[in-house]
Amino acid sequence: MNQFFSWNDRLGIPLPSLHQDWDMYNERDRTFIVTEWEIIRGTIPDRVIALEAVINVKQIQLFEEENFERSCTINSDIAELASRINDLHIWYRMNQEIENKRHS
């Protein structure tokens, strides 16, 4: 990646990794960060769709599973995937905060 973003294995996307206040970055760096984040942010809906597809497969498995312990594992997997989707939605909305900083 680069000095402003770090790969997040759990979410499958790079996330901002800013080590100082926004105002401490020079204009060139701020422009780069916002531009890069817009590119990354644009991939989030596809990432959500991919995770939802995995959830759908796991829900079918859960419906057909007769082993209680295995059902619990599948249910736990579904909950973790749903949590990732929730986190991706939160990061997707982060654009509003970055945009406000860019225009201030």
Side-chain angles (χ1 to χ4, degrees):
M1 235 18 287
N2 60 51
Q3 65 183 357
F4 304 116
F5 294 88
S6 300
W7 181 257
N8 183 284
D9 284 331
R10 182 174 174 272
L11 299 182
I13 62 169
L15 294 178
S17 181
L18 305 179
H19 302 290
Q20 57 189 10
D21 288 337
W22 183 252
D23 294 335
M24 299 296 290
Y25 291 101
N26 63 45
E27 186 64 31
R28 182 181 55 87
D29 287 344
R30 285 188 287 199
T31 300
F32 175 82
I33 293 165
V34 170
T35 302
E36 190 71 17
W37 177 245
E38 279 300 306
I39 293 167
I40 295 166
R41 185 177 171 270
T43 68
I44 291 175
D46 290 336
R47 185 76 185 117
V48 168
I49 289 168
L51 291 172
E52 287 173 340
V54 175
I55 287 175
N56 290 336
V57 169
K58 290 197 173 283
Q59 286 177 325
I60 292 168
Q61 292 172 348
L62 183 60
F63 179 74
E64 297 173 352
E65 185 59 56
E66 295 181 11
N67 180 293
F68 178 73
E69 288 181 19
R70 179 74 184 124
S71 293
C72 290
T73 300
I74 294 170
N75 197 42
S76 178
D77 292 347
I78 291 170
E80 171 56 27
L81 291 165
S83 174
R84 290 179 190 187
I85 289 171
N86 184 57
D87 289 350
L88 285 166
H89 284 298
I90 291 168
W91 280 105
Y92 188 77
R93 289 190 302 270
M94 279 292 288
N95 175 63
Q96 294 150 351
E97 290 178 28
I98 292 174
E99 277 296 309
N100 288 339
K101 289 179 180 180
R102 184 172 76 158
H103 293 298
S104 57

